[in-house]
Amino acid sequence: MILHPGILALIVGSSIVLMMVIYGSFVGTRVWLSWDFNSSSEEQLVLERKTFLVSSIVRYALAFEVFSILLFISTIDDIHQLFVGAMCATGSLNANPIGWVVLFVKMGILLLAPVWVVLDIFDQKAGDYPLIRAKYVLLQFLTVVVALDLFLVIKYFAGLHPEIITSCCGALFSESGPGVAGEIAALPSAGMMWLFYVTVVFFLATLMFCLLHRAAAARYVLAVLAVMLFFVSIASVISTFSMYIYQLPTHHCPFDMFQGNYSYVAYPIFLGLFSAVFFGFLPGIFQPLKKVTSLEKHIFEAEKKWLVTSGIATILFVTVVSWPVVFSGVELMGY
């Protein structure tokens, strides 16, 4: 099992990433102890040079970590055929429940890693390094999360055995299924459809207001709406839009959408959703940093790009999930 190309890539790649971020964290510790921007000592000059090196190394490392969630999903979908009872990635995850923890940890990295990159970009643009300590604190936290991710990935794949009989997605993502997955699948489709489009309209309207005005409150509202959009969208895709994609009123699994039988439609759906939420969330979380004189201009310039990117990603996401509803000719609203 471990010799599967995807599994080897995940383990080897994550091991290299861990070594790179550990080095970055080591430099970060020295920065915490010795950084003095107003000093012209040899130690300060060495630290300044090393921060540029660390920035390049860590950016490449975190880029792999962001990519690894797609590789992980692709890999567990590919190996599902090795297990009796599995029909998609859900079966592979159920074969060793640690896989679900790996998935959620990777989602956390997917959110935190780009935030670190944005902090690093602003820190370098400002010139006086106002975020140097903050970004290294986050990097040290990320190092712990990356180490946890590698440990869990190894434990998950090492615990998979072909003789395991697992459960398919139909048992988990069904209206009578156990736990949260079953409760989400059982949500009323008509109500979730309305809630989804209302949330999207409010999100886009607030986003447009932020593009036209500099009100801080609007950016905080947009951040809250971004979080709402994420959870409402996940619930809507599972409970409602999945039925139109599969053209079956009882099929709610979000992982079958990653397969070629459904044109790999999950990739634009979830990449579009994450991009919309992430870039819509950034103006709110970086709003307090506008009080730093050397950062204010750079954040205002970046905000426009974030808002436009979020808007485009939202339209892409909504278009992809709405396409089967409009053009499939399937009538499932009674469910």
Side-chain angles (χ1 to χ4, degrees), residues 190-200 232 236:
M192 290 307 300
M193 187 84 76
W194 275 103
L195 179 61
F196 172 76
Y197 286 112
V198 168
T199 304
V200 168
V232 169
S236 298

Side-chain angles (χ1 to χ4, degrees), residues 103-146:
L103 182 62
F104 291 127
V105 170
K106 286 189 175 296
M107 289 177 64
I109 295 175
L110 184 64
L111 174 64
L112 292 175
V115 171
W116 188 91
V117 173
V118 174
L119 281 173
D120 185 50
I121 291 172
F122 283 149
D123 192 47
Q124 293 190 19
K125 283 185 175 182
D128 58 348
Y129 302 99
L131 303 174
I132 190 76
R133 285 187 167 87
K135 75 178 184 182
Y136 279 120
V137 169
L138 179 57
L139 179 59
Q140 288 167 344
F141 177 72
L142 272 169
T143 301
V144 175
V145 178
V146 169

Side-chain angles (χ1 to χ4, degrees), residues 8-286:
L8 285 175
L10 283 166
I11 294 175
V12 174
S14 294
S15 299
I16 295 173
V17 166
L18 180 58
M19 289 187 289
M20 294 167 77
V21 294
I22 285 176
Y23 172 74
S25 293
F26 173 74
V27 174
T29 302
R30 289 188 60 191
V31 167
W32 257 102
L33 295 174
S34 306
W35 183 268
D36 182 3
F37 182 69
N38 296 317
S39 172
S40 56
S41 66
E42 181 180 353
E43 183 180 15
Q44 176 65 20
L45 292 174
V46 170
L47 283 178
E48 289 183 14
R49 293 190 184 117
K50 284 192 174 182
T51 56
F52 282 103
L53 174 62
V54 168
S55 292
S56 299
I57 291 175
V58 173
R59 286 188 194 185
Y60 283 112
L62 295 182
F64 174 82
E65 282 299 297
V66 169
F67 167 75
S68 72
I69 188 171
L70 299 178
L71 179 58
F72 178 71
I73 292 173
S74 175
T75 300
I76 59 176
D77 182 66
D78 186 54
I79 65 174
H80 81 268
Q81 55 193 321
L82 301 176
F83 305 106
V84 176
M87 299 180 66
C88 66
T90 302
S92 299
L93 292 172
N94 287 338
N96 185 352
I98 293 175
W100 290 103
V101 183
V102 174
L103 182 62
F104 291 127
V105 170
K106 286 189 175 296
M107 289 177 64
I109 295 175
L110 184 64
L111 174 64
L112 292 175
V115 171
W116 188 91
V117 173
V118 174
L119 281 173
D120 185 50
I121 291 172
F122 283 149
D123 192 47
Q124 293 190 19
K125 283 185 175 182
D128 58 348
Y129 302 99
L131 303 174
I132 190 76
R133 285 187 167 87
K135 75 178 184 182
Y136 279 120
V137 169
L138 179 57
L139 179 59
Q140 288 167 344
F141 177 72
L142 272 169
T143 301
V144 175
V145 178
V146 169
L148 176 63
D149 174 62
L150 176 59
F151 170 75
L152 291 173
V153 164
I154 294 173
K155 191 172 183 180
Y156 167 63
F157 286 118
L160 293 177
H161 304 285
E163 64 272 15
I164 293 175
I165 298 177
T166 185
S167 57
C168 70
C169 55
L172 184 63
F173 293 97
S174 66
E175 296 182 7
S176 58
V180 176
E183 292 176 3
I184 294 175
L187 291 171
S189 58
M192 290 307 300
M193 187 84 76
W194 275 103
L195 179 61
F196 172 76
Y197 286 112
V198 168
T199 304
V200 168
V201 168
F202 274 105
F203 179 75
L204 288 175
T206 306
L207 189 149
M208 185 62 65
F209 182 86
C210 290
L211 273 172
L212 299 175
H213 303 278
R214 292 190 172 186
R219 280 143 179 81
Y220 292 127
V221 171
L222 183 65
V224 173
L225 286 172
V227 175
M228 289 180 57
L229 178 66
F230 177 78
F231 288 106
V232 169
S233 296
I234 293 295
S236 298
V237 168
I238 293 173
S239 66
T240 304
F241 293 109
S242 60
M243 297 190 296
Y244 289 92
I245 292 171
Y246 299 130
Q247 299 189 23
L248 287 171
T250 57
H251 199 171
H252 298 277
C253 178
F255 290 102
D256 279 342
M257 302 177 196
F258 287 96
Q259 297 180 347
N261 292 338
Y262 300 99
S263 304
Y264 306 102
V265 70
Y267 289 100
I269 286 177
F270 291 109
L271 287 174
L273 174 60
F274 175 80
S275 298
V277 170
F278 178 75
F279 287 105
F281 192 69
L282 285 181
I285 63 173
F286 279 95

